């Protein structure tokens, strides 16, 4: 989805959900998250597409931040804590 912030954001959030699901948990295990946006103008799309109920741990995001691949417009760092008996 080169150049398409909406689809990149959908994919980013979906990837997080899939990774957590593969460990038998969900977004409610997220304790901290930081999203990075390459372009300041994409903040509105981020706020519109993020589901606060699912990604309430995202309390901050970087604007005009370099991300790890040149064609990516967004990236996210997530910390999730699983219960000891998981």
């Amino acid at each position: 989805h080169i150049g398409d912030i909406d689809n990149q954001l959908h994919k980013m959030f979906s990837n997080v959900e899939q990774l957590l699901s593969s460990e038998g948990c969900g977004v409610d295990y997220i304790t901290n998250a930081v999203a990075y946006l390459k372009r300041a103008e994409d903040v509105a799309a981020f706020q519109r597409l993020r589901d606060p109920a699912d990604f309430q741990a995202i309390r901050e995001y970087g604007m005009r931040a370099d991300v790890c691949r040149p064609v990516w417009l967004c990236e996210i760092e997530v910390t999730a804590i699983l219960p000891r008996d998981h």
Side-chain angles (χ1 to χ4, degrees):
H1 304 291
I2 295 173
D4 183 344
I5 188 61
D6 283 10
N7 278 315
Q8 285 192 26
L9 286 166
H10 280 298
K11 184 66 174 167
M12 180 181 78
F13 291 130
S14 174
N15 286 346
V16 170
E17 290 171 341
Q18 288 176 12
L19 285 167
L20 291 171
S21 178
S22 74
E23 294 298 322
C25 61
V27 294
D28 51 324
Y29 289 84
I30 295 174
T31 59
N32 185 54
V34 178
Y36 301 92
L37 305 174
K38 188 173 229 171
R39 306 179 308 203
E41 63 264 30
D42 291 333
V43 170
F46 175 84
Q47 292 172 331
R48 177 174 40 83
L49 295 174
R50 171 180 78 104
D51 183 344
D54 286 344
F55 288 91
Q56 58 185 323
I58 301 175
R59 304 215 190 288
E60 58 184 301
Y61 42 86
M63 289 186 283
R64 297 180 58 190
D66 283 336
V67 294
C68 89
R69 303 257 166 92
V71 296
W72 288 1
L73 301 175
C74 56
E75 190 171 10
I76 194 166
E77 247 177 75
V78 174
T79 303
I81 298 178
L82 303 177
R84 190 175 290 255
D85 62 347
H86 182 75

